[in-house]
Amino acid sequence: WRILADTLRMLVSLLVVFAFALLIGFRVHTGPLQAVAAIGLILLYGVALAWLHALIGLTARTVETVQSVGMLAMVPLQFGSSIFVAPGTMPGWLGFLVAHNPMSSVVDASRALLTGGPAAGHVTAALAWSLALIAVTAPLAARRFARRR
């Protein structure tokens, strides 16, 4: 139930942020289906991260460890992604890592879906990363949860 509750909370948050972006001037340059697809893709990645963090929470022994490990997992994903800077402007080795970061795939796919441009490759990569992360972490978290009961 926790993952479902987190998913609903993420959806509400995404819709609020999207509405605010529209309010301050952002415009979707594609269409409503692409916008819904972008929100769905971001939500799916959020679910994947929720499963990862559920696994961390069920594995760690203290709250401090959960917070530290969770932060250690997120910082490289965020700052080592194409959120802020295009990978093509980075040194070769760093650009390679950034281009293959799961968060970069989600960001690039969402950008393409919302503002136009080639989206298929980015969407495929984002789906693959998200589904793979769920396929690995969800069963492990469920097993950990069952053992704790």
Side-chain angles (χ1 to χ4, degrees):
W1 292 111
R2 175 60 193 242
I3 299 297
L4 179 61
D6 287 346
T7 303
L8 293 174
R9 189 176 63 241
M10 283 184 279
L11 178 59
V12 170
S13 298
L14 277 169
L15 293 175
V16 167
V17 169
F18 191 69
F20 185 72
L22 292 172
L23 184 68
I24 63 171
F26 175 76
R27 295 295 174 255
V28 175
H29 296 277
T30 52
L33 290 178
Q34 290 89 342
V36 169
I39 290 170
L41 198 58
I42 296 167
L43 188 62
L44 179 65
Y45 185 63
V47 170
L49 292 178
W51 277 112
L52 172 64
H53 285 91
L55 178 61
I56 292 168
L58 290 164
T59 303
R61 295 179 188 218
T62 66
V63 172
E64 293 80 13
T65 303
V66 172
Q67 291 173 335
S68 298
V69 172
M71 182 65 74
L72 285 173
M74 291 307 298
V75 168
L77 286 175
Q78 291 173 343
F79 291 104
S81 73
S82 62
I83 291 175
F84 304 112
V85 180
T89 64
M90 299 176 184
W93 66 272
L94 184 57
F96 177 82
L97 292 175
V98 168
H100 294 87
N101 177 334
M103 193 166 292
S104 290
S105 298
V106 174
V107 168
D108 295 342
S110 299
R111 278 188 188 135
L113 288 167
L114 293 170
T115 61
H122 298 301
V123 170
T124 302
L127 286 171
W129 274 112
S130 297
L131 294 174
L133 191 55
I134 291 169
V136 171
T137 58
L140 291 173
R143 187 177 315 146
R144 285 271 182 193
F145 182 73
R147 285 185 185 164
R148 292 182 91 175
R149 293 184 90 189

